[in-house]
Amino acid sequence: MSDPTALTLAAALDGLAKKEFSSLELTDAFLAAIDKANPALNAFTTIVHDKARAMAKVSDARRAKGEAGLLEGAPLGVKDLFCTEGVKSTACSRALGEFKPTYESSVTANLWRDGAVMLGKLNMDEFAMGSSNETSAYGPVVNPWRAKGSNQNLTPGGSSGGSAAAVAADLCLGATATDTGGSIRQPAAFTGSVGIKPTYGRCSRWGIVAFASSLDQAGPIAKTVKDAALLLQSMAGHDPKDSTSLPGPTPAFSQAIGKSVKGLRIGVPKEYRVDGMPDAIEALWAQGAAWLEAAGCTLVDISLPHTKYALPAYYIIAPAEASSNLARYDGMRFGARVQGKDLDDTYAKSRAAGFGAEVQRRILIGAYVLSAGYYDAYYLKAQKVRARIAEDFANAFGQVDAILTPATPSAAFALGERSGDPVQMYLNDIFTVTANLAGLPGLVLPTALSHDGLPLGLQLIGKALDEETVFSLAHVLEDAAAFKARPAHWW
Amino acid sequence: MPGMFGIRPGKWVMTVLDVRTARPDQRIAGETGDWEVIIGLEVHAQVTSKSKLFSGASAAYGGEPNAHVSLVDAAMPGMLPVLNKYCVEQAVRAGLGLNAQINLWSRFDRKNYFYPDLPQGYQISQYKHPIVGEGEVEVEVDGDPEPLVVRIERLHLEQDAGKSIHDLSPKETFIDLNRAGVALMEIVSRPDIRSGKEAAAYFAKLRSILRALGVCDGNMEEGSMRADVNVSVRRPGEKFGTRCEIKNVNSLKFIVQAVEYEARRQIEILENGGVIDQETRLFNAATGETRTMRSKEDAHDYRYFPDPDLLPLEIDPAWVEAIKANLPELPDAKKKRFISDYGLSAYDARVLSAESEAAAFFETVARGRDAKLAANWVSQELFGVLNKAGLELSASPVSADQLGGLLDLMADGTINGKIAKEVFAKMVDTGESAGVIVEREGLRQVTDLGAIEAAIDSLIAANPDKAAEVKEKPKAFGWWVGQVMKAMDGKANPAAVNALLKARLGLE
């Protein structure tokens, strides 16, 4: 058996179906790969060897009985933001300590229902706040990719850095991730992976540690467009436990792969051409548009005039919601309590000890913009901007079926390079944050390497609930780009 | 996705707040002249519902500490609220009962503050867009000539907090989350109330309406209903003064006491040249005083914002109509019916219509009988006994049918009114029916005219002077009636005694 960890999810499922290997063999191969790579990459915060092998055995038995589910036997990684029953779930924050939930998030429960196997929990920025994985209480994840001729450690992006790195380094067949302003798509772009943030409400938020409720959305990071479609198909679905979960059935997303895109109109928004964007990204964007044109799509120049207000609006709304969502981490029920001289002092000390600097910064921003006298000027105005941005997209989708943009303004940067400048760091989300504000699906896939050999990605933004068109288009780009580069296994 | 961002343009309506001047007899005399007290109430009423507002945990009172707590109530990571539709229905029902506007679009906000019995770190409430808008309640105050109309500003749904228990340990506070997340209705009145007595009457009327609707059990001991009382004072006819809010007052008596104490306190400050600080105060039931809880400077900034875990609440008008069509008869309508159908006095009709249970009891007794007599027996005799024993009507030792049976024995002349009271007392003690007691104790009324005449004749024979006097002094007639009844062990038919006495004494 050649190394099965290098397989795509779809290929591995095929191999399992053909009995080329069992889920237990596959799982053992991944566990060995994780044990070898993790000291260097720090992608996993918890590895559940026993649980993984037990799940794999059960899966093999199910398959033997002819009851294989959609993802039967596929070993996956889970971002630490998802609560997993009996397995430490911390959002990579000291504030949650050694918290072991007594419940399983709806999204992961869906994956296990479909036969997937859990390998462990994946590192991330603390409470999903960050774009470089450097805010994690467990230390940063290292990107498996390195620039040509360099040994410098690069960021895998964030907040789902562990998910992206694990997929890129062949440490799992796919991973769950979440995206509040770009936390699936930016790490996918930085690691040459495919990531999709579906329409807001596609995936239940029940059991996912909340960052900014109106923006948070779960989605997969995977090796291919088809793998992403398979994973999302399992993860998504209406959940009565989440009031913002969308009703209605989940389409079989994988069936959109290979569908003709002929006659589709693709919007190219002028506002996404930002100052100082590297030539390589300009070129990649133009190339992507050309590939879609060649596949029979029509390119349409569009305008999304409020784009420039998206990032400021996001950095008001997300911290505002976070300041309230994180109030429950008060040292009373879980995490460490630091006893103070009175109740307020205990709160202050516990929270100061529990939260890292970036989380504290965002809580302070959030509390400020919601406070009496500032609410109208900040929060309310940001919500109005948000409505305008949604309107921009609604207008654009009157003319086009999907929108093509770059994924990120740069390739992966070095760990430590931007951690001193929060605003510089926030600019990472410039192309991704609009889809969160408007609740739209956005998919990122790798299409080229930068001059120094690092992956670069494109983003497709679709209409609400139209992930299928996005998948069809992404598959066309994937085919045309024939991006086969993989990081060297240097660890 | 309509409504996704929860923004809705509100219409701005000017409301006149100051609509009443206190009657002269309601004014409070100070050292320097008269004062008026201005009162508005925020009443918290627990919604009658099996489960909590946003979780499936039981909303029942009591239970072992922390026995009724779901993952949502304990605010575990990743937990989300799901609105309990029945609680919404109850709020709509309450709004209809208060003659209020039902808002078809409303929204839940988060009120952020830290406290250990508030695990989320925020209370989910309706701040800007309540489910129920303006309404009004008509309140009769004992002794007042005109009913008082109290305007309702709004009714909204919100979560209760848990309970902090400070007295189990000198160093620690224990938390019981059984109440955390239970649905409350907050009913906010306009400042239309002008005395403690009016405030208590308004609260009682509210309780009566909510209980009739089945939306709140009104149990004040268990905290199902409590009031935050806003009090300010002013010179008659002048502008409103600065108000203080007295938190969590939980009985009618305490409402009266709290208002009176607080008004006096404010008047004293103002008359001594001081100013009132807007603050939140606590009522001490043991002393009848109020004291500062927190000043305006210490007031929380609650950082309200729309709860992003919940969609705006949109209600189908047809659903509201369906609820309206099935509303039970409310106290005001019942009162009107008792006056028109049973000929009761306005007072009796009000007393008997305030509680659905009492009203039903009365109607059972009154059906096919003398309704006024039934009203007297229920509201005077029975309620008297129950109040004295501290019993609820549901625990009454005498059932409505039994009381009806007693009235029947009076109506057919088996017993007279005096004996009936005796029989009733025995019914209360034994739970037996009137008929059984009357037969066993031989209490049947004597209508044998011969026996009565014999008793009268022997009395006249024994008291010739008095028999002569009574012609001059008609008032002495009562003595004769009493003596005859005494001689007959109270069992003589009073009408027969009257007629025969008059004939024998030559008073015709």
Side-chain angles (χ1 to χ4, degrees), chain A residues 61-283:
Chain A
R62 228 172 7 237
R63 189 180 282 284
K65 276 196 284 178
E67 294 168 3
L70 180 68
L71 301 174
E72 197 61 59
L76 304 176
V78 175
K79 188 180 184 180
D80 204 31
L81 203 62
F82 292 79
C83 288
T84 42
E85 189 177 350
V87 176
K88 193 166 86 162
S89 305
T90 72
C92 288
S93 177
R94 285 183 303 277
L96 275 117
E98 297 292 307
F99 178 62
K100 278 187 188 170
T102 57
Y103 48 92
E104 185 77 31
S105 83
S106 294
V107 162
T108 48
N110 288 346
L111 290 170
W112 316 145
R113 173 204 64 204
D114 288 341
V117 169
M118 173 158 83
L119 291 167
K121 302 301 284 286
L122 292 161
N123 203 345
M124 53 180 279
D125 280 299
E126 183 180 8
F127 282 109
M129 297 179 192
S131 304
S132 65
N133 225 288
E134 290 166 293
T135 71
S136 168
Y138 294 87
V141 176
V142 174
N143 194 331
W145 288 84
R146 287 175 161 179
K148 240 182 311 193
S150 165
N151 285 334
Q152 190 175 33
N153 281 342
L154 302 179
T155 173
S159 67
S160 311
S163 304
V167 169
D170 294 330
L171 306 184
C172 56
L173 288 173
T176 70
T178 61
D179 190 315
T180 305
S183 280
I184 289 175
R185 290 160 291 160
Q186 183 251 22
F190 279 12
T191 58
S193 312
V194 177
I196 178 167
K197 178 203 88 71
T199 308
Y200 182 80
R202 262 288 184 224
C203 289
S204 168
R205 293 183 295 113
W206 193 89
I208 301 175
V209 173
F211 162 14
S213 312
S214 75
L215 299 158
D216 293 345
Q217 201 31 221
I221 292 181
K223 294 182 182 181
T224 66
V225 174
K226 185 174 183 189
D227 288 1
L230 283 168
L231 287 166
L232 183 60
Q233 205 166 310
S234 173
M235 292 164 71
H238 177 64
D239 182 0
K241 290 186 287 189
D242 174 359
S243 309
T244 63
S245 166
L246 293 165
T250 305
F253 295 124
S254 55
Q255 285 173 17
I257 309 294
K259 233 176 109 185
S260 166
V261 298
K262 209 165 174 185
L264 290 180
R265 295 155 305 164
I266 307 300
V268 181
K270 64 177 184 196
E271 289 80 6
Y272 283 60
R273 195 157 279 120
V274 298
D275 287 345
M277 195 157 77
D279 295 346
I281 290 176
E282 283 272 8

Side-chain angles (χ1 to χ4, degrees), chain B residues 329-404:
Chain B
E329 187 182 33
L330 289 172
D332 283 348
K334 201 162 258 173
K335 185 188 128 192
K336 283 191 188 115
R337 187 165 60 79
F338 283 6
I339 294 171
S340 64
D341 289 9
Y342 296 110
L344 300 192
S345 70
Y347 179 83
D348 280 349
R350 173 155 67 84
V351 169
L352 289 170
S353 62
E355 296 288 330
S356 326
E357 224 188 0
F361 193 102
F362 159 70
E363 290 205 76
T364 305
V365 179
R367 200 164 298 128
R369 301 188 177 100
D370 178 342
K372 283 187 185 172
L373 190 66
N376 277 339
W377 274 87
V378 173
S379 66
Q380 305 293 324
E381 306 301 329
L382 180 68
F383 286 3
V385 164
L386 294 178
N387 282 341
K388 214 168 155 190
L391 289 176
E392 293 291 320
L393 181 58
S394 55
S396 170
V398 178
S399 73
D401 285 331
Q402 285 177 322
L403 185 54

Side-chain angles (χ1 to χ4, degrees), chain A residues 103 207 243 324-325 328 333 372 386, chain B residues 5 74 77-78 81 110 112 119 301:
Chain A
Y103 48 92
S243 309
S324 176
N325 282 335
R328 65 188 60 195
R333 282 149 299 136
R386 184 176 187 178
Chain B
F5 310 120
R110 291 186 185 177
N112 295 284
D301 181 349

Side-chain angles (χ1 to χ4, degrees), chain A residues 96 99 103 205-208 213 240-241 243 324-325 327-329 333 343 347 367 370-372 375 379 383 386 437, chain B residues 5 7 71 74-82 110 112 114-116 119-120 122 301 303-306 308-309 311:
Chain A
L96 275 117
F99 178 62
Y103 48 92
R205 293 183 295 113
W206 193 89
I208 301 175
S213 312
K241 290 186 287 189
S243 309
S324 176
N325 282 335
R328 65 188 60 195
Y329 307 105
R333 282 149 299 136
L343 180 62
Y347 279 139
L370 289 177
S371 57
Y375 179 89
Y379 185 79
Q383 286 291 21
R386 184 176 187 178
L437 289 169
Chain B
F5 310 120
I7 296 176
L71 294 166
M76 299 309 277
M79 291 301 99
L80 298 171
V82 177
R110 291 186 185 177
N112 295 284
F114 287 96
Y115 207 69
Q120 290 172 140
Y122 55 84
D301 181 349
R303 292 174 284 121
Y304 286 100
F305 77 109
D309 285 333
L311 299 173

Side-chain angles (χ1 to χ4, degrees), chain A residues 337-487:
Chain A
R337 185 189 302 175
V338 183
Q339 205 68 43
K341 63 180 191 305
D342 56 24
L343 180 62
D344 282 349
D345 194 40
T346 300
Y347 279 139
K349 287 197 161 85
S350 300
R351 286 166 67 80
F355 296 136
E358 181 61 25
V359 172
Q360 291 187 26
R361 180 178 3 258
R362 297 202 197 187
I363 290 172
L364 289 173
I365 293 172
Y368 180 81
V369 299
L370 289 177
S371 57
Y374 296 98
Y375 179 89
D376 288 0
Y378 292 105
Y379 185 79
L380 199 60
K381 187 164 263 181
Q383 286 291 21
K384 287 176 182 165
V385 168
R386 184 176 187 178
R388 287 273 173 274
I389 287 166
E391 215 174 85
D392 280 357
F393 278 108
N395 291 338
F397 283 123
Q399 311 166 49
V400 300
D401 301 294
I403 293 168
L404 182 71
T405 79
T408 52
S410 75
F413 47 89
L415 285 168
E417 188 183 317
R418 297 185 190 174
S419 47
D421 183 349
V423 174
Q424 197 60 35
M425 193 65 91
Y426 297 168
L427 285 171
N428 270 289
D429 296 334
I430 192 159
F431 298 138
T432 47
V433 74
T434 48
N436 299 85
L437 289 169
L440 302 173
L443 180 148
V444 158
L445 78 162
T447 55
L449 291 177
S450 67
H451 301 305
D452 44 5
L454 293 173
L456 291 171
L458 285 175
Q459 172 178 231
L460 284 158
I461 300 172
K463 295 178 185 173
L465 293 172
D466 190 17
E467 287 86 355
E468 288 162 286
T469 297
V470 170
F471 279 124
S472 300
L473 289 164
H475 182 66
V476 167
L477 288 175
E478 186 179 45
D479 250 7
F483 183 89
K484 298 286 181 228
R486 305 292 295 164

